[in-house]
Amino acid sequence: MDFNLTEEQKQIRDEIRRFAETEIAPDAAERDAQEKFAEKQIKKLSELGYMGMTVSSQYGGQSADTISYVLVVEELSKVDASIGVALSVNNSLVCYGLEKFANEAQKQKYLVPLASGKALGAYCLSEPGTGSDAGNMLTVAEKRGDHYILNGAKNFITNGIHADYLIVFATLDKSSGTKGVCAFIVERNFPGVAVGKKEKKLGIRSSDTAMLNFDGVKVPAANLLGQEGKGFQIAMTILDVGRIGIAAQALGIAGGAFEAAVKYAKERQQFGQPLINFQAINFMLADMALEIDAARLLIYQAALAKDRGEKFSVPSAKAKLYASRVAVDCGTKAVQIFGGAGYLKDYPVERYMRDARITEIYEGTSEIQQLVIARSLMG
Ligand code: CAA
């Protein structure tokens, strides 16, 4: 079903699908095995305008609506979820945050290169001691005249090794809790910024995930994003958009696993007939088809709410919570349908199963999405 996509949305979906199949799919398994960041492919995506597609054309983006963005993240993640998240983070966690909260000078200096793909961004919130409890951060900012000094460490940073510009959250006053948090635009080349450990992961292995250390980093006061003390709201507002991107990534992984499973079930013969003739198999496929459609509806609901200017925290949490469950379920079922072959690196389904798992964890665990939904019920 086409969900009444516009001609432009269909065109974007078809173009990115062709690109994903021809330029990304052939080496996806190899990049996963080598844990190799897809520099060449991301450069091409930048040239095609996708890395900052959601930014308005005034700042070098494509002014794409959120459904188009979802289609792009989905199609990329169908063949390589690591590329899906690199694009999603740049668009939603970084460019969106700058377009919404930066002043004009900051937009010209940082958003324009990020939106046009000349630079890559990362979002630095999580710390070794604070994941879900993000407001309890230990990274500190100290104001000294016309600049701030940042000290601390951030971990699990997507694009952490290749990013040029970072949005970094730090507290000016730990005793004020979330009200002490500020957001800063930090250049990777500022003295004192150092890439720490590159993480070795179960899935999305070609996405670069790293620790970043901030040791006495001098950040000009002009690089404060928004106002002092408003950093936590900025972080949360940005994550509401990011979660739509991760839901789209999950949808792509689920779709990739499903398509591979249907194809295999039609080809593979057991007991003198194709697997798909067996109810044990076709019921699994039926459930996968159902879940994928339901996840898509929740994601489009969140995307439309955002584009209509409605509140979308809860729709976004619902979309991420459900789509990530679907990705894990479809990845696992696909491996089951492939049987022994599914456990081998010869087929992509074990990669889908591994890649799916992170969608239940990053940009807010499933339990955090449940908390966001539950709080809205409590009033
Ligand atoms: N939009 C705007 N403001 C929001 C908000 C939202 N969605 N949610 C909360 N806020 C505001 C509140 O209104 C409140 O403001 P006031 O102080 O003015 O009243 C303030 O933020 C504090 O809110 P809470 O009291 O609700 O804060 P909390 O400490 O209870 O935390 C939470 C809430 C939902 C648990 C939050 O901490 C959270 O989302 N945690 C998960 C963090 C997360 O997703 N981390 C992922 C990091 S990114 C990543 O994964 C890396 C990557 O590169 C992919």
Side-chain angles (χ1 to χ4, degrees):
M1 192 180 169
D2 240 347
F3 296 100
N4 288 327
L5 295 181
T6 64
E7 281 312 308
E8 202 184 340
Q9 288 165 341
K10 284 186 207 163
Q11 216 176 318
I12 289 175
R13 181 197 58 195
D14 295 346
E15 180 183 271
I16 200 74
R17 186 175 287 169
R18 272 195 303 277
F19 179 84
E21 281 165 3
T22 55
E23 307 270 342
I24 294 180
D27 302 325
E30 185 60 19
R31 279 191 302 276
D32 171 70
Q34 307 285 334
E35 301 180 301
K36 188 170 177 282
F37 188 68
E39 244 171 298
K40 195 177 74 185
Q41 290 77 2
I42 287 179
K43 186 164 179 289
K44 284 192 183 166
L45 283 166
S46 304
E47 288 160 5
L48 292 168
Y50 287 110
M51 290 306 286
M53 63 183 291
T54 50
V55 176
S56 64
S57 49
Q58 183 189 353
Y59 296 112
Q62 305 290 316
S63 300
D65 61 279
T66 309
I67 297 278
S68 300
Y69 163 63
V70 163
L71 291 167
V72 167
V73 177
E74 178 191 352
E75 290 300 329
L76 292 174
S77 304
K78 226 181 217 182
V79 297
D80 188 342
S82 296
I83 294 185
V85 72
L87 179 136
S88 174
V89 164
N90 199 63
N91 267 286
S92 53
L93 294 190
V94 183
C95 289
Y96 171 78
L98 293 180
E99 185 148 26
K100 187 155 179 75
F101 297 105
N103 60 36
E104 190 55 32
Q106 292 170 337
K107 285 180 185 168
Q108 292 301 335
K109 188 165 179 188
Y110 297 112
L111 180 57
V112 170
L114 283 163
S116 55
K118 293 192 176 69
L120 188 67
Y123 173 92
C124 307
L125 178 66
S126 299
E127 299 185 357
T130 57
S132 293
D133 186 10
N136 202 16
M137 65 188 66
L138 293 178
T139 297
V140 289
E142 189 192 329
K143 184 138 195 205
R144 286 199 205 152
D146 64 352
H147 62 269
Y148 297 84
I149 299 291
L150 258 55
N151 279 294
K154 298 285 176 179
N155 70 345
F156 299 139
I157 307 304
T158 302
N159 297 343
I161 292 169
H162 290 81
D164 305 283
Y165 303 136
L166 321 166
I167 297 184
V168 181
F169 298 91
T171 179
L172 255 191
D173 173 16
K174 186 97 181 73
S175 65
S176 301
T178 55
K179 289 188 168 40
V181 176
C182 302
F184 299 95
I185 307 168
V186 176
E187 297 184 20
R188 165 71 186 82
N189 289 332
F190 281 173
V193 180
V195 176
K197 185 166 141 246
K198 179 183 171 194
E199 305 296 351
K200 295 183 86 66
K201 309 188 296 291
L202 172 72
I204 56 159
R205 286 162 49 90
S206 66
S207 154
D208 67 351
T209 309
M211 170 91 99
L212 287 175
N213 294 307
F214 301 88
D215 184 9
V217 179
K218 191 172 170 184
V219 179
N223 282 31
L224 175 73
L225 182 63
Q227 295 162 9
E228 279 186 0
K230 295 287 181 200
F232 194 72
Q233 282 95 331
I234 293 175
M236 293 296 110
T237 307
I238 293 175
L239 277 173
D240 285 342
V241 183
R243 288 167 184 168
I244 300 176
I246 299 306
Q249 183 201 26
L251 182 65
I253 296 169
F258 173 69
E259 286 175 17
V262 171
K263 183 168 179 289
Y264 189 79
K266 284 179 179 169
E267 289 167 2
R268 170 84 170 160
Q269 300 270 331
Q270 288 293 281
F271 304 101
Q273 46 186 319
L275 285 186
I276 200 156
N277 285 0
F278 295 97
Q279 204 171 58
I281 302 295
N282 61 35
F283 273 20
M284 270 196 264
L285 291 170
D287 279 346
M288 290 161 85
L290 169 75
E291 290 173 350
I292 288 170
D293 276 359
R296 187 185 303 285
L297 288 170
L298 283 169
I299 296 170
Y300 285 10
Q301 172 176 272
L304 285 174
K306 174 178 176 289
D307 285 351
R308 288 178 182 154
E310 296 164 10
K311 289 189 175 168
F312 61 95
S313 272
V314 173
S316 162
K318 285 179 179 168
K320 182 182 182 287
L321 175 62
Y322 187 70
S324 58
R325 282 180 185 163
V326 169
V328 170
D329 191 50
C330 288
T332 309
K333 284 198 166 93
V335 169
Q336 194 65 23
I337 291 168
F338 272 69
Y343 205 64
L344 305 179
K345 300 277 181 190
D346 301 9
Y347 294 96
V349 288
E350 59 83 30
R351 178 162 55 89
Y352 292 125
M353 191 179 91
R354 288 185 287 106
D355 286 352
R357 199 62 183 79
I358 191 61
T359 65
E360 292 189 314
I361 298 169
Y362 63 10
E363 297 201 27
T365 59
S366 293
E367 293 71 24
I368 289 295
Q369 312 312 320
Q370 287 171 314
L371 181 145
V372 170
I373 299 163
R375 281 186 179 178
S376 76
L377 305 175
M378 294 188 284

